[in-house]
Amino acid sequence: IGVLANAFNVMTSRLRDLVSSLEQRVAERTIDLEQATLQSKKRAEELQVVSEVARAVSTEVNLEVLLTLVTKVISERFGFYHVGVFLLDTINKNAVLRASNSPGGKRMVARGHKLSIGQVGIVGHVAATGEARIALDVGADATYFNNPDLPATRSEMALPLSVRGHIIGVLDVQSTQPKAFTQADVETLSTLADQVAIAIENARLLAESRQALEESQALYGDYVSRVWERKTAQAA
């Protein structure tokens, strides 16, 4: 009886441990499932915002208005305190800040703020490599360029703006919260950056086409004027 009782106690203890282990595993998997569901919901909401932002900027054809609209809409919809759009200069030496939503960013635009490609800051790095970069703690990131116009920045993400494999600029977003960005954010906002790059390129092409048309019209008008002057002179 004593042996049976001892064996029964051992079996009961093992069953209790097994049940406890199963309950813990179920609880952990439930938490994982809830987190996955929340992440999927967040991802879906972000993609919806990406779609809305892309639609908002796709119809604007004036480049300067477009760039300002991009920074304003992205800041409002994603909650970033600073959004900046850098475009590469004609000789691909500097990334020039062309638009921003934040007061500090606007001051930088006014004074012609630019960063050397491949040399200064996260933006310069992304402009050179074409690869997105995140700084979760700007104070600890060696490539971060401390900017007195944006003292509240605690984390930063820069994404390349490229069209057909050609880098035309950088989309720079900054947050007042440390570790505000994840790799999932890079993937989501990279989709938006691609849409923004296409809108910028379309606005540029339209502006160039209009300028070429105006120049052609001016040349044609000048040619007609000279012809009439010659004819008038011959008639006299």
Side-chain angles (χ1 to χ4, degrees), residues 30-48:
T30 300
I31 293 173
D32 291 342
L33 180 59
E34 291 174 349
Q35 291 177 343
T37 301
L38 289 174
Q39 290 174 356
S40 297
K41 183 179 179 180
K42 179 176 180 290
R43 171 78 169 171
E45 291 174 348
E46 288 178 342
L47 289 175
Q48 178 64 30

Side-chain angles (χ1 to χ4, degrees), residues 54-224:
R55 284 198 302 271
V57 303
S58 63
T59 56
E60 180 56 57
V61 296
N62 181 287
L63 180 59
E64 298 306 322
V65 175
L66 170 65
L67 297 178
T68 301
L69 179 63
V70 165
T71 63
K72 178 177 181 293
V73 175
I74 292 178
S75 172
E76 290 176 350
R77 299 311 304 270
F78 285 95
F80 303 135
Y81 100 101
H82 169 80
V83 179
V85 176
F86 288 80
L87 296 182
L88 274 57
D89 60 18
T90 55
I91 58 175
N92 288 340
K93 181 180 179 181
N94 297 298
V96 182
L97 182 62
R98 296 288 297 274
S100 176
N101 70 296
S102 67
K106 290 177 181 178
R107 291 194 297 269
M108 294 160 63
V109 172
R111 68 169 184 266
H113 180 73
K114 58 186 178 181
L115 299 172
S116 298
I117 295 175
Q119 298 182 30
V120 181
I122 296 172
V123 170
H125 173 84
V126 173
T129 64
E131 298 177 354
R133 184 178 179 88
I134 298 176
L136 297 180
D137 182 352
V138 294
D141 195 300
T143 64
Y144 176 68
F145 180 71
N146 187 25
N147 192 333
D149 288 297
L150 302 170
T153 297
R154 291 297 174 269
S155 53
E156 180 178 8
M157 176 169 57
L159 303 160
L161 298 172
S162 60
V163 179
R164 295 183 295 277
H166 176 64
I167 301 173
I168 64 171
V170 177
L171 176 64
D172 180 50
V173 296
Q174 300 182 22
S175 172
T176 58
Q177 301 298 320
K179 300 181 180 179
F181 307 112
T182 65
Q183 187 59 38
D185 294 323
V186 171
E187 296 171 0
T188 300
L189 289 175
S190 290
T191 302
L192 177 57
D194 290 341
Q195 298 295 321
V196 169
I198 292 172
I200 291 173
E201 188 69 6
N202 288 343
R204 276 179 164 178
L205 292 174
L206 182 58
E208 291 173 1
S209 298
R210 287 177 173 173
Q211 181 178 355
L213 178 60
E214 291 173 358
E215 291 175 353
S216 297
Q217 290 174 337
L219 289 172
Y220 180 73
D222 185 56
Y223 170 76
V224 171

